[in-house]
């Protein structure tokens, strides 16, 4: 924060003279300072989301730590940022999805869920009794009419559909890598989609991950459009395939 902000960073609802909302900007910094980097890639009839799995303490049970969540059977979310805020977001998402199913009798479309989460996030930037949540939500699923869908919702309440996206600590470098990979608008099949996402994370962080250090979630049209988290063995197979290509 520059000295010229003159206390404008204390308020969520007041613009600085430069037209900035400092508390919203700090929410974006909170996402980056979490240290995690996440990648999402949309294929021809599938979507893959990948993130690092970091267990902060050796005494913690690794199975209780996750950034991947199932909203409905067919819609999944990858949450990057503050884990406590992430719990709040996934709870909201499940409420929205359950109410939609109850009112209309069918599963919530991915784009409508992303819009609803963005609406709620935007209200938190204009109401003094709340604060923006330090979380970026990546929402994925298969739409009956539109096919594979990938959306990203940020703390400011902005959402948009992506062919591939990134969030977290090194999102700029990841975006540059994905832009090169998706030049010419290739239509990835399932294997290419997963390996592109994992490969992007490895390239950006300059690490060769073990299968236990990654979380990979996929939605595939040929598997009924169900959201699944890959097992350690399945992730290992993809890591082996990537290393053989290199």
């Amino acid at each position: 924060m520059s000295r010229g902000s003159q206390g404008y960073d204390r308020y969520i609802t007041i613009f600085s003279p430069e037209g900035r909302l400092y508390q919203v900007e700090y929410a974006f910094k909170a996402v980056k300072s979490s240290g995690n980097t996440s990648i999402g890639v949309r294929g021809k009839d599938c979507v893959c989301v990948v993130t690092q799995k970091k267990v902060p303490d050796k005494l913690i049970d690794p199975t209780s730590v996750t950034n991947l969540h199932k909203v409905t059977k067919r819609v999944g979310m990858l949450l990057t940022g503050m884990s406590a805020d992430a719990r709040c977001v996934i709870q909201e998402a499940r409420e929205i999805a359950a109410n939609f199913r109850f009112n209309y009798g069918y599963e919530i479309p991915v784009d409508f869920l992303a819009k609803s989460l963005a609406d709620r996030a935007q209200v938190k930037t204009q109401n003094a009794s709340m604060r923006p949540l330090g979380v970026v939500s990546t929402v994925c699923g298969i739409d009956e009419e539109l096919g594979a869908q990938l959306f990203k919702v940020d703390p400011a309440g902005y959402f948009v559909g992506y062919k591939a996206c990134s969030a977290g600590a090194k999102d700029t470098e990841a975006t540059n890598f994905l832009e090169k990979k998706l030049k010419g608008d290739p239509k990835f099949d399932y294997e290419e989609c997963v390996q592109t996402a994992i490969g992007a994370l490895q390239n950006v962080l300059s690490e060769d991950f073990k299968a236990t250090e990654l979380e990979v979630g996929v939605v595939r049209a040929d598997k009924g459009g169900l959201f699944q988290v890959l097992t350690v063995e399945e992730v290992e197979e993809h890591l082996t395939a990537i290393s053989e290509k290199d």
Side-chain angles (χ1 to χ4, degrees):
M1 180 193 73
S2 67
R3 293 180 67 184
S5 63
Q6 298 175 349
Y8 288 100
D9 65 318
R10 296 179 191 174
Y11 306 100
I12 292 173
T13 56
I14 298 175
F15 282 100
S16 74
E18 296 83 30
R20 297 166 68 180
L21 288 170
Y22 285 102
Q23 286 296 326
V24 177
E25 290 181 22
Y26 294 162
F28 281 90
K29 287 184 181 178
V31 174
K32 286 182 180 286
S33 65
S34 70
N36 271 12
T37 304
S38 303
I39 306 278
V41 177
R42 190 181 77 189
K44 184 170 59 178
D45 54 4
C46 59
V47 184
C48 174
V49 286
V50 183
T51 190
Q52 299 160 268
K53 180 163 186 166
K54 291 183 177 178
V55 182
D57 192 317
K58 289 182 180 177
L59 296 177
I60 292 175
D61 178 3
T63 59
S64 66
V65 178
T66 184
N67 296 304
L68 284 173
H69 302 273
K70 191 181 285 188
V71 181
T72 69
K73 288 187 291 185
R74 291 182 168 79
V75 180
M77 279 178 70
L78 168 57
L79 298 165
T80 311
M82 299 170 68
S83 55
D85 285 6
R87 280 208 333 272
C88 177
V89 172
I90 190 63
Q91 189 65 32
E92 281 188 351
R94 286 171 179 158
E95 262 179 45
I96 292 165
N99 286 334
F100 188 96
R101 177 67 192 258
F102 180 79
N103 290 328
Y104 302 107
Y106 65 97
E107 293 286 351
I108 189 167
V110 185
D111 59 337
F112 186 83
L113 176 62
K115 179 184 179 299
S116 300
L117 288 171
D119 288 345
R120 292 191 179 202
Q122 201 280 328
V123 167
K124 291 181 174 70
T125 69
Q126 58 179 330
N127 196 324
S129 65
M130 307 176 192
R131 68 163 173 83
L133 297 176
V135 177
V136 170
S137 311
T138 307
V139 190
C140 62
I142 304 286
D143 189 276
E144 289 181 6
E145 296 176 5
L146 304 171
Q149 298 275 282
L150 177 66
F151 285 87
K152 188 169 81 169
V153 184
D154 67 25
Y158 177 74
F159 86 104
V160 71
Y162 284 89
K163 297 173 186 173
C165 65
S166 61
K170 292 200 171 182
D171 61 342
T172 307
E173 295 92 327
T175 300
N176 292 338
F177 179 88
L178 290 167
E179 282 175 357
K180 291 174 187 173
K181 277 285 183 184
L182 272 77
K183 197 172 183 180
D185 197 18
K187 302 295 182 188
F188 293 133
D189 61 23
Y190 168 69
E191 301 289 336
E192 290 170 333
C193 184
V194 175
Q195 288 166 26
T196 300
I198 295 174
L201 196 61
Q202 286 187 323
N203 185 281
V204 168
L205 299 174
S206 303
E207 282 187 51
D208 289 325
F209 289 105
K210 297 176 187 173
T212 53
E213 296 171 339
L214 291 175
E215 285 189 288
V216 183
V218 295
V219 188
R220 300 170 62 180
D222 59 356
K223 294 286 185 181
L226 300 177
F227 178 74
Q228 297 172 308
V229 178
L230 298 190
T231 63
V232 172
E233 291 75 20
E234 289 171 317
V235 175
E236 188 63 58
E237 285 176 19
H238 288 294
L239 288 171
T240 305
I242 291 167
S243 61
E244 284 173 358
K245 277 184 186 176
D246 296 341

